[in-house]
Amino acid sequence: MKNGPIALLFNSLFVVFLLAPMVMVCLVAFTTENYLALPTNGFSLRWFYKLAEYPEFLTSFKTSLTIAATSSILALLFAAPAGIAIARYRFIGRDVLNAFFMSPLMIPHVVLGIAFLRFFSLADLSGTIVGLVLGHVVIVFPFAMRMVLASASGMDQRVEDAAASLGAGRVTTYKRVILPLIIPGIASGFALSFIQSFDETTMTIFLASPTTTTLPVRMFNYIQDSIDPLICAISALLIMATIIVMFLLDRLYGLERLFVGDGHS
């Protein structure tokens, strides 16, 4: 079924609406002015060169990568078995447990930040990488859980039964049958968790210290003192890095295969 002209127009406007802010940010990053300006009198790389004067942004970028990757992996280590158990089995308290795992989505991040600040202060973890990772695990766990749960719910029970009938034990079935089938859910869960962790600002403000400041918090603190195209240059670099990573994943493995599956039943 083909889309009509009205549907195509709506889809085009929707795509433009999503991409326009990112395009504007990238254009402003090349301005020659000392302030945010578009249109500009010319294009320059001065703001990208100026990043060399602020090595703390690179340090914060590395901190964000470390926290995002670690928290996403830890969240998936718990979300994978939890999602499989809730999707595949019926037991007392199943719905309550599922609601508990999803509960961080309903709590404002400001409240979580204040609660974690109090708790980590008592546990002597305030302002540490460990404290930030633990806080981010709580934030990203529902995203990882939801993706694994959706993937496991769509898995054919007969495949697992066939493996058991051929002599495969529970551990072997889990490693050789279940995990490969839910790889798209795991990959999607990791991607969403990583993005959510990397972009988290509200809660992280309460937990970060001068030595463990993430990139979003560093950018937020910077724009409180001055607003210039330097922030746009950083944003443009992040957008470009994301495009490159997605392109490489598509060429090396295939985004559709990674996030949806290979299409074979």
Side-chain angles (χ1 to χ4, degrees):
M1 182 177 179
K2 294 183 178 180
N3 292 326
I6 297 179
L8 291 175
L9 177 62
F10 175 81
N11 292 335
S12 300
L13 292 175
F14 184 75
V15 172
V16 171
F17 177 79
L18 291 178
L19 295 180
M22 292 185 289
V23 174
M24 293 299 177
V25 167
C26 293
L27 291 177
V28 173
F30 293 93
T31 185
T32 58
E33 307 294 343
N34 294 323
Y35 50 87
L36 303 179
L38 192 70
T40 179
N41 294 326
F43 289 91
S44 172
L45 297 176
R46 57 173 296 197
W47 296 108
F48 293 93
Y49 292 135
K50 194 174 181 60
L51 281 174
E53 301 177 11
Y54 298 89
E56 58 269 23
F57 281 111
L58 179 58
T59 302
S60 297
F61 175 72
K62 294 178 180 178
T63 301
S64 292
L65 286 181
T66 301
I67 294 174
T70 305
S71 61
S72 299
I73 292 173
L74 289 177
L76 280 172
L77 289 177
F78 292 99
I84 293 172
I86 292 176
R88 310 293 290 171
Y89 304 104
R90 299 293 182 268
F91 51 88
I92 299 176
R94 173 176 173 269
D95 293 336
V96 175
L97 189 62
N98 186 32
F100 173 74
F101 288 147
M102 296 295 115
S103 60
L105 295 175
M106 298 179 288
I107 304 176
H109 288 193
V110 173
V111 176
L112 285 175
I114 296 174
F116 282 138
L117 176 62
R118 177 61 176 167
F119 176 76
F120 289 150
S121 296
L122 295 175
D124 199 24
L125 291 175
S126 180
T128 64
I129 290 292
V130 175
L132 282 169
V133 168
L134 292 177
H136 280 231
V137 167
V138 174
I139 291 293
V140 306
F141 183 86
F143 296 92
M145 177 73 177
R146 180 56 64 187
M147 293 297 101
V148 174
L149 187 61
S151 184
S153 298
M155 188 172 57
D156 193 343
Q157 178 68 41
R158 294 173 297 179
V159 177
E160 187 177 348
D161 295 336
S165 67
L166 293 174
R170 287 186 176 273
V171 177
T172 302
T173 302
Y174 183 79
K175 291 170 55 179
R176 303 292 298 273
V177 178
I178 297 178
L179 279 182
L181 288 175
I182 65 172
I183 281 295
I186 293 176
S188 301
F190 179 83
L192 289 178
S193 299
F194 186 92
I195 294 171
Q196 180 68 21
S197 176
F198 190 92
D199 192 52
E200 172 57 36
T201 306
T202 306
M203 184 197 69
T204 308
I205 289 177
F206 292 92
L207 304 182
S209 68
T211 58
T212 58
T213 302
T214 60
L215 184 60
V217 174
R218 180 76 66 184
M219 295 171 68
F220 177 79
N221 292 335
Y222 181 84
I223 62 177
Q224 285 185 314
D225 299 326
S226 60
I227 300 179
D228 56 42
L230 182 67
I231 293 298
C232 293
I234 298 174
S235 301
L237 290 176
L238 290 176
I239 293 172
M240 182 59 64
T242 303
I243 294 174
I244 293 174
V245 170
M246 299 301 289
F247 175 79
L248 291 177
L249 284 175
D250 185 52
R251 298 297 296 176
L252 296 176
Y253 192 80
L255 292 179
E256 183 176 355
R257 180 184 176 190
L258 181 63
F259 292 110
V260 181
D262 57 12
H264 299 293
S265 57

